[in-house]
Amino acid sequence: MTTAKAPRRAKKLPMKQRYSLLTRDLDWEPSYVDRDKLYPYTSYEGIKVHDWDGWEDPFRLTVDAYFKYQAEKDKRLYAVLDSFAQSQGHLSLSDASYLNAIKLFIQGVTPLEYQAHRHFAYLARYLEGPAPRFAALCQSVDELRHCQTQIHTISNYNKYYDGFHSFSQMHDRVWYLSVPKSLFDDAMTAGPFEFLISISFSFEYLLTNLLFVPFMSGASFNGDMPTMSFGFSAQSDESRHMTLGLEAIKFLLEQDEGNVPIIQEWVDKWFWRAYRMSALVAGMMDYMLPKPVMSWKEAFELYFEQQMLGGLFPDLEFYGIKPPRHVADAVAEKDKLSHEVYKILHNFSFAASFTTQTPSEEKMAWLSEQYGQTFDEYYAPTWEKHRRIEENGGRVFFQGLPQLCQVCQVPMAFTEPDDPTTISFRSTEFKGETYHCCSDGCLWIFEREPEKYIQAWLPVHQILQGNCGGPTVPEVLEWYGVQEGDNGEYKGSRDHRSWIEWHGGEPADTPAQAAAAETGA
């Protein structure tokens, strides 16, 4: 009599080998389509890749593990959102004026998450190697989730406050939102490798902490638990994105020495493009938070100077990569960037979908402490003048259209790196036309690719050409989607008046009502 042998159990594979079988080893060689037709976009930029398997995957997540992990984070996030909504948590904010920062976030940042989702999905199709394709796929899903959770989080405020509606339309049309939009339009119309350096490295790795952490920390300090929660929910994803950016540049630099000068130029370009967009965050940090968490200068020194210039770039010297061109100009601006940007927003908030206010005495004292003699000498006198005008029932708005930089599209209000009293103004000619830029960095970028930047959709030019709803301010605002109460001055705005009433006070007068009462009209 014979007995059957028990079946042998399959040996459990190590995680690295199992991950490789579930991702990379599912790739195949095309048989009836030429490889250059299947992947047509990975050669024209001049980048050479000899071994796609050289890509290292630091996070080794399978699709199954990825979605389980994200689902757990979503459960925790939506529990916070429900609790906040049911308990009328918006009344526990430091002040309704804080929400102007969140209006800037949903109008300027959330649509970028969706743009990133679209283009990383594009990379997941057209990158030639299976490992970077899978990494791009995961990041594409990450970015879509970020867009959705941000919309769900912030939509609660739309029930009570102005300026949160039509953010997608505003992103495509409003003048100050052309700054972030033009950055991603620029990146998405580049090649696949330049996009990786522009977004995954220069934006996600170099500047994500400088851009993302202040928003989330500001939310925490000002009682906005939902925004803080979606920030923490996204933070592990951001860590993965930063690692993807570092792996992308390391992989490309190790593949061929000829890649080094190409990547250096991309680092030079995209650092400055992303840094110029971060100017909006600088103004938000120093002026829009009722309870500030840290100044722009402190954040820049910590998250860029110490971590990037002091930590990352010394390591990249091994590959021949130097710190970004014009980085010295960015360092020189840290004492004045936020003041110059917020003054633009304050001057033109009648044409924005948020409200602004002259800094209070408490805020002025904090700015003086953070910026020393710079603020006291160059910026405090201007705000004191504004306060005197407002005490007499007035309000300063700039009655005109600003000149815009051809590259970053920020109004030309930046000053020379070594002289806060002189506007930085650069101009160049191309095919008989004159073009203007705000800095040496933007001028260098323009002259490197003039054919691209002469096509820039500049809001002021479009208004003057009659392409933005009509020739008058009300017609332009209607085309933007800005409604009455969304814009102008915070004191006396509908948000401000509702906030006071909800907290048991008498409704505040609008500036016009206050002036009428003063004169007895």
Side-chain angles (χ1 to χ4, degrees):
M1 181 178 177
T2 59
T3 57
K5 292 183 178 179
R8 294 179 61 184
R9 285 190 176 182
K11 185 179 179 182
K12 189 174 182 179
L13 297 175
M15 180 181 173
K16 184 175 182 180
Q17 187 177 351
R18 181 174 177 272
Y19 171 78
S20 180
L21 288 170
L22 289 171
T23 55
R24 299 188 186 197
D25 286 0
L26 294 177
D27 197 33
W28 64 86
E29 284 295 322
S31 58
Y32 58 89
V33 177
D34 291 339
R35 199 168 185 86
D36 59 347
K37 291 183 178 179
L38 187 61
Y39 303 110
Y41 304 117
T42 56
S43 58
Y44 71 88
E45 294 172 287
I47 292 291
K48 298 179 179 65
V49 176
H50 305 292
D51 178 21
W52 283 101
D53 288 334
W55 183 283
E56 292 292 334
D57 301 324
F59 277 86
R60 299 198 183 102
L61 279 174
T62 61
V63 170
D64 178 59
Y66 171 82
F67 280 104
K68 287 179 180 177
Y69 181 55
Q70 299 295 62
E72 286 299 317
K73 293 197 298 183
D74 277 356
K75 288 179 184 178
R76 292 192 289 270
L77 170 62
Y78 284 100
V80 173
L81 301 190
D82 288 343
S83 174
F84 192 83
Q86 292 175 19
S87 63
Q88 298 289 296
H90 69 98
L91 298 179
S92 64
L93 297 174
S94 57
D95 188 80
S97 65
Y98 154 79
L99 288 169
N100 290 306
I102 302 304
K103 293 172 189 178
L104 195 61
F105 188 98
I106 195 170
Q107 296 157 11
V109 178
T110 299
L112 298 188
E113 305 272 19
Y114 189 75
Q115 296 286 72
H117 149 69
R118 290 179 57 209
H119 209 72
F120 276 105
Y122 172 87
L123 294 187
R125 161 61 181 88
Y126 285 109
L127 285 177
E128 197 166 343
R133 281 206 307 272
F134 186 72
L137 174 66
C138 287
Q139 180 148 351
S140 176
V141 180
D142 278 349
E143 304 291 4
L144 180 59
R145 174 179 174 269
H146 294 178
C147 178
Q148 291 171 336
T149 56
Q150 288 165 19
I151 292 170
H152 291 163
T153 299
I154 296 172
S155 65
N156 181 59
Y157 294 123
N158 190 44
K159 302 174 187 176
Y160 309 103
Y161 303 98
D162 296 317
F164 289 103
H165 58 86
S166 307
F167 64 89
S168 178
Q169 174 181 333
M170 292 178 185
H171 176 75
D172 292 339
R173 297 183 178 188
V174 177
W175 59 275
Y176 59 92
L177 297 175
S178 74
V179 178
K181 184 179 185 297
S182 72
L183 175 81
F184 258 75
D185 286 350
D186 194 348
M188 292 173 70
T189 52
F193 294 120
E194 184 176 351
F195 179 85
L196 274 175
I197 298 303
S198 67
I199 303 304
S200 292
F201 180 71
S202 296
F203 189 78
E204 296 272 15
Y205 196 90
L206 289 187
L207 294 172
T208 194
N209 282 340
L210 185 59
L211 300 175
F212 206 74
V213 175
F215 268 114
M216 301 311 120
S217 300
S220 176
F221 266 59
N222 287 275
D224 184 1
M225 293 303 104
T227 299
M228 182 194 72
S229 297
F230 85 57
F232 279 128
S233 181
Q235 197 57 44
S236 59
D237 302 337
E238 296 299 334
S239 298
R240 186 165 61 250
H241 301 173
M242 291 177 70
T243 308
L244 172 62
L246 191 60
E247 174 56 30
I249 193 170
K250 177 174 167 285
F251 170 76
L252 295 176
L253 290 170
E254 289 176 345
Q255 285 295 309
D256 195 285
E257 288 186 5
N259 294 343
V260 175
I262 300 173
I263 292 172
Q264 179 69 64
E265 283 208 357
W266 288 342
V267 170
D268 294 344
K269 170 188 173 180
W270 288 104
F271 159 73
W272 190 259
R273 288 289 277 123
Y275 164 74
R276 265 295 178 250
M277 192 202 78
S278 72
L280 292 174
V281 181
M284 179 279 297
M285 287 183 66
D286 283 348
Y287 285 89
M288 288 185 165
L289 298 179
K291 293 174 64 177
V293 56
M294 67 192 311
S295 68
W296 165 259
K297 179 181 178 181
E298 287 178 310
F300 186 84
E301 290 174 344
L302 173 60
Y303 295 121
F304 185 74
E305 289 188 79
Q306 293 182 29
Q307 294 183 0
M308 300 303 158
L309 292 183
L312 172 66
F313 280 100
D315 292 340
L316 291 179
E317 285 181 8
F318 173 79
Y319 298 99
I321 294 296
K322 301 174 184 176
R325 188 189 299 255
H326 305 115
V327 72
D329 290 345
V331 174
E333 286 185 341
K334 65 184 178 183
D335 280 300
K336 57 183 182 171
L337 182 67
S338 66
H339 314 300
E340 293 172 353
V341 170
Y342 186 74
K343 192 63 174 67
I344 297 171
L345 300 179
H346 189 267
N347 282 349
F348 292 97
S349 62
F350 68 89
S353 54
F354 54 79
T355 57
T356 57
Q357 58 185 325
T358 297
S360 65
E361 291 185 9
E362 181 182 6
K363 175 71 78 172
M364 294 271 284
W366 181 81
L367 289 167
S368 177
E369 178 185 340
Q370 295 296 316
Y371 290 96
Q373 292 184 345
T374 307
F375 180 77
D376 293 341
E377 182 176 356
Y378 298 111
Y379 308 108
T382 299
W383 293 124
E384 289 166 355
K385 177 183 177 181
H386 278 267
R387 184 179 289 113
R388 290 193 300 269
I389 292 171
E390 290 172 15
E391 287 172 352
N392 292 320
R395 172 64 157 84
V396 175
F397 289 118
F398 187 89
Q399 298 299 314
L401 296 176
Q403 186 174 21
L404 303 181
C405 173
Q406 189 73 26
V407 174
C408 72
Q409 303 197 17
V410 179
M412 304 272 279
F414 298 111
T415 56
E416 294 289 353
D418 58 351
D419 183 4
T421 65
T422 303
I423 295 294
S424 175
F425 188 91
R426 308 287 185 269
S427 62
T428 186
E429 289 192 6
F430 181 71
K431 293 185 176 180
E433 295 283 343
T434 301
Y435 298 90
H436 305 292
C437 295
C438 69
S439 58
D440 291 333
C442 285
L443 180 65
W444 178 80
I445 291 169
F446 178 88
E447 291 182 335
R448 182 175 172 271
E449 301 174 276
E451 295 89 353
K452 187 173 193 178
Y453 293 100
I454 62 174
Q455 302 175 61
W457 194 93
L458 297 179
V460 168
H461 293 190
Q462 298 299 319
I463 291 171
L464 292 172
Q465 291 174 30
N467 297 328
C468 299
T472 67
V473 170
E475 289 172 304
V476 173
L477 295 184
E478 182 180 1
W479 185 78
Y480 281 171
V482 175
Q483 299 175 357
E484 183 182 356
D486 294 347
N487 56 340
E489 183 184 11
Y490 171 64
K491 292 180 179 178
S493 68
R494 289 203 303 223
D495 287 355
H496 184 219
R497 299 174 71 195
S498 297
W499 177 261
I500 292 174
E501 287 187 72
W502 288 331
H503 285 81
E506 291 295 324
D509 289 336
T510 65
Q513 290 171 331
E518 183 74 21
T519 59

